[in-house]
Amino acid sequence: MKIIVSDMSKLEFETSSNLKSNVLLEYIIDFEYYPNYFPLQLKDVKIIKKEKNEIITEEKIVFSTLVKNTIEQRSLHKQISVNQLTTEIIEGPAKGSLVTILCNDTDSGSEIKISLDLKLSMKALFLKPFIGKFYQKYLTALIFKISKRAESL
């Protein structure tokens, strides 16, 4: 895995999957399944609105650092193309944050590039190092768990 950190709020990393990008993205947009991947961190994910290429979800995320914090947020997920998805946090302490996932097919599956532009409210600013690490671990683990789930079906 390659990790690039341009500053404390921007993070880019790459990973790979044995799934082709179109199959991988189908699993990635199955948001309501996410608590099965991360039962301790994601208490709930609900689809609030679904249109052609846009989905709005509501998530309850648990951060266990020195103190256990539950964050509620809403996210707008847009499928930009057959191999690109963007997620904007539209409500919650990370409002304005943007995650971009770009998948490119390879001979053995796909390469995934993930970019995170993290914006935090003043009261959540102290969690920035934890949240950045959480997203990196969470998104990398998500790709791995999706690949394992697809293999078992």
Side-chain angles (χ1 to χ4, degrees):
M1 178 187 351
K2 180 179 167 188
I3 301 170
I4 302 165
V5 179
S6 59
D7 63 35
M8 287 298 287
S9 64
K10 295 187 187 218
L11 178 67
E12 294 181 6
F13 54 99
E14 297 175 7
T15 190
S16 60
S17 171
N18 58 346
L19 300 176
K20 291 296 185 184
S21 58
N22 62 326
V23 175
L24 181 61
L25 277 176
E26 285 298 315
Y27 280 97
I28 289 174
I29 64 173
D30 185 7
F31 301 111
E32 291 179 313
Y33 193 85
Y34 282 27
N36 294 300
Y37 296 131
F38 305 102
L40 299 177
Q41 295 87 8
L42 284 172
K43 289 298 173 196
D44 192 30
V45 177
K46 291 184 209 169
I47 292 178
I48 304 300
K49 185 178 179 184
K50 188 172 185 174
E51 293 181 357
K52 187 177 178 182
N53 292 325
E54 294 185 2
I55 299 172
I56 296 177
T57 57
E58 184 175 80
E59 307 93 25
K60 290 184 183 175
I61 305 167
V62 176
F63 287 97
S64 294
T65 55
L66 300 174
V67 180
K68 191 174 182 179
N69 293 299
T70 301
I71 294 173
E72 293 187 26
Q73 68 180 29
R74 284 192 181 195
S75 304
L76 170 61
H77 311 275
K78 293 182 184 179
Q79 190 160 356
I80 304 302
S81 66
V82 293
N83 66 336
Q84 185 175 358
L85 178 75
T86 63
T87 297
E88 179 184 0
I89 310 302
I90 56 175
E91 288 182 23
K95 182 179 179 178
S97 295
L98 189 64
V99 179
T100 302
I101 300 174
L102 179 63
C103 304
N104 290 307
D105 286 339
T106 64
D107 292 339
S108 60
S110 57
E111 287 291 320
I112 303 102
K113 293 181 181 183
I114 301 170
S115 301
L116 170 65
D117 186 3
L118 187 60
K119 311 281 189 212
L120 292 176
S121 66
M122 289 302 284
K123 74 178 195 178
L125 210 49
F126 75 98
L127 292 173
K128 192 177 236 182
F130 299 109
I131 293 173
K133 286 180 185 177
F134 168 81
Y135 270 107
Q136 178 189 343
K137 288 179 182 178
Y138 169 78
L139 292 168
T140 302
L142 176 66
I143 302 301
F144 175 78
K145 291 179 180 204
I146 284 172
S147 298
K148 290 295 180 193
R149 177 182 173 206
E151 287 174 4
S152 69
L153 297 178

